[in-house]
Amino acid sequence: MGEVIGGPAAVNAGCLQCHGGTVKVDEKGRPTPLTWPDTGIGRLNLDGSLGSCSACHTRHRFSSAQARQPQACAKCHLGPDHPQKEVYEESKHGIAYASNKDEMNLKSKKWVAGVHYSAAPTCATCHVSATQTQGITHDVGDRISWTLRPAISTKLNMIRTENGKGYDLPDGAALPKVGEDYKGSKVTKVLTSGERRQNMQDVCTACHADSQVKGHYKQFDDVVDLYNEKFAKPIAGLMKELTEKGYITAAPFDDKIEWTWWEIWHHEGRRARHGAAMNGPDYTWWHGIYEVAQHTYFKLIPEMREAVRKKDGNEQAADELLAKYFKPIDGHDWYFNGISKEAIEKVRKGYEERYGKGSLK
């Protein structure tokens, strides 16, 4: 999308400044202007190493205090597809930080939640900073048990190797053992998704009781499961069959429905999942699942019907596809059969309790 539909200039100044590119040099041994400057976190350096310290620690001062603040992550983690900055600011964590920044002890040499500060967590608190039982990590994904980036979320195990690299493997994939060869190096550590989750929950329990942590993860998991099972998996199956049967081409982004599906998972779906992960209710619902649903029912499905009609001259195959991928899922029953009287009465009762009898017409 970036290279072809957008253009290389947008990739160099946009995508690669977050993801990181490959640094190259000219005949004089100087970095080329197309590859430098680059502060992307996954930058491939001339010595073969990966990463850019200045992705989090800005140049000149190289300050830990600055890297501990949420603004350090805001160059990349904001906007329509991964609005962690905005979700954090909406959350009670972000509100507590903004209200109590002077109590955060940001310049402390050691910075352990529940020991050196307790006013609020920042991005660094949860993802990289030390706890009372864990050391500092410079892998921001170490403690992440769900991947919320792809079209369908999966839980992730992690493989670490002797050459310092880490690899995510989805639950269900065969895991190598410590000491075995993996991608040209020896495995030094295997972390299951459950262990990664425990490491993140260890951060939570610095300030919260077990019941609150368990309740948060239950609500978070339920949103990811809702997104996966009700929307992402059936749409992915539908799109695959549309391609296989020639209703849309195999080329990416030359059919309108492909853009719609892209935005459902890459924008709205990510916002919903990240909102649930980071206690951002508005992003979970209004910027998230609400728009996933709206665009599924009133953009993607009509565009699917149009694609079928264009090829077949009728919509019979579209009806069959909906019956195959959507109808078996209870959550779509309202779309096929209308909202039930029981559901309407439940809504009516709640509405009238708040706004008065007869308020819901």
Side-chain angles (χ1 to χ4, degrees):
M1 177 174 276
E3 289 284 358
V4 178
I5 298 171
V11 173
N12 288 334
C15 312
L16 298 183
Q17 297 303 319
C18 286
H19 291 280
T22 301
V23 180
K24 298 178 180 178
V25 293
D26 60 21
E27 64 279 1
K28 295 181 179 180
R30 296 171 179 171
T32 62
L34 284 179
T35 67
W36 189 267
D38 183 333
T39 58
I41 197 167
R43 187 180 71 201
L44 179 59
N45 301 303
L46 295 173
D47 62 359
S49 64
L50 286 169
S52 167
C53 298
S54 54
C56 300
H57 303 268
T58 54
R59 292 189 182 98
H60 306 300
R61 291 196 174 190
F62 204 77
S63 165
S64 294
Q66 178 267 322
R68 289 167 177 165
Q69 299 180 57
Q71 291 83 357
C73 306
K75 176 171 77 85
C76 301
H77 293 277
L78 80 170
D81 56 338
H82 40 42
Q84 288 95 337
K85 172 183 176 287
E86 295 95 326
V87 175
Y88 175 79
E89 290 172 346
E90 178 197 8
S91 75
K92 285 298 182 184
H93 288 157
I95 293 167
Y97 169 80
S99 303
N100 303 289
K101 185 177 177 180
D102 57 347
E103 299 175 24
M104 291 296 294
N105 205 15
L106 292 165
K107 294 183 179 180
S108 173
K109 184 175 178 66
K110 293 184 178 180
W111 200 65
V112 175
V115 178
H116 302 102
Y117 67 102
S118 58
T122 70
C123 312
T125 301
C126 300
H127 291 282
V128 299
S129 296
T131 72
Q132 294 183 59
T133 62
Q134 298 178 76
I136 293 171
T137 174
H138 279 85
D139 186 336
V140 295
D142 255 356
R143 302 166 186 167
I144 293 176
S145 50
W146 273 116
T147 174
L148 307 181
R149 295 176 297 172
I152 299 171
S153 282
T154 58
K155 289 183 178 176
L156 294 177
N157 308 298
M158 176 176 277
I159 310 303
R160 291 213 169 277
T161 52
E162 211 168 49
N163 59 5
K165 293 184 179 180
Y167 302 93
D168 287 323
L169 289 175
D171 271 5
L175 301 178
K177 295 179 180 179
V178 172
E180 291 182 352
D181 289 328
Y182 189 79
K183 293 187 181 293
S185 188
K186 295 281 187 186
V187 174
T188 57
K189 193 171 186 179
V190 177
L191 274 174
T192 66
S193 62
E195 289 169 329
R196 296 174 84 171
R197 172 165 291 198
Q198 287 172 5
N199 290 340
M200 183 66 87
Q201 290 176 336
D202 172 55
V203 183
C204 305
T205 54
C207 299
H208 296 293
D210 285 345
S211 60
Q212 182 152 345
V213 177
K214 289 177 181 177
H216 163 71
Y217 269 90
K218 168 63 176 168
Q219 294 176 16
F220 169 36
D221 287 346
D222 285 351
V223 170
V224 178
D225 287 337
L226 170 70
Y227 162 81
N228 270 352
E229 303 303 324
K230 184 175 180 180
F231 297 103
K233 289 181 180 179
I235 296 175
L238 174 73
M239 294 296 292
K240 184 174 184 289
E241 191 159 337
L242 285 174
T243 304
E244 290 174 345
K245 292 185 174 179
Y247 291 111
I248 59 176
T249 73
F253 299 113
D254 62 343
D255 292 286
K256 187 177 180 182
I257 193 172
E258 293 175 305
W259 290 77
T260 300
W261 170 219
W262 167 262
E263 294 197 353
I264 286 173
W265 73 260
H266 190 266
H267 287 37
E268 292 93 43
R270 280 185 174 181
R271 293 198 293 262
R273 289 172 280 174
H274 282 116
M278 297 173 58
N279 299 290
D282 208 55
Y283 282 87
T284 303
W285 171 236
W286 287 118
H287 296 303
I289 294 296
Y290 168 82
E291 292 191 355
V292 169
Q294 182 193 47
H295 295 165
T296 296
Y297 296 125
F298 298 107
K299 284 188 177 181
L300 186 131
I301 290 176
E303 288 163 11
M304 181 272 289
R305 289 189 176 280
E306 176 59 28
V308 171
R309 188 164 52 244
K310 184 178 179 181
K311 180 175 180 289
D312 293 356
N314 60 66
E315 295 187 22
Q316 181 180 342
D319 292 335
E320 292 171 354
L321 287 167
L322 288 175
K324 179 178 179 179
Y325 291 104
F326 283 74
K327 206 164 190 177
I329 300 170
D330 288 342
H332 295 301
D333 182 71
W334 76 271
Y335 180 77
F336 295 97
N337 300 309
I339 299 177
S340 69
K341 290 182 179 180
E342 292 79 11
I344 291 173
E345 286 308 310
K346 183 179 179 180
V347 173
R348 185 188 305 281
K349 182 180 178 182
Y351 222 77
E352 291 186 345
E353 284 176 355
R354 174 163 297 199
Y355 301 112
K357 190 171 179 62
S359 54
L360 181 64
K361 302 297 183 183

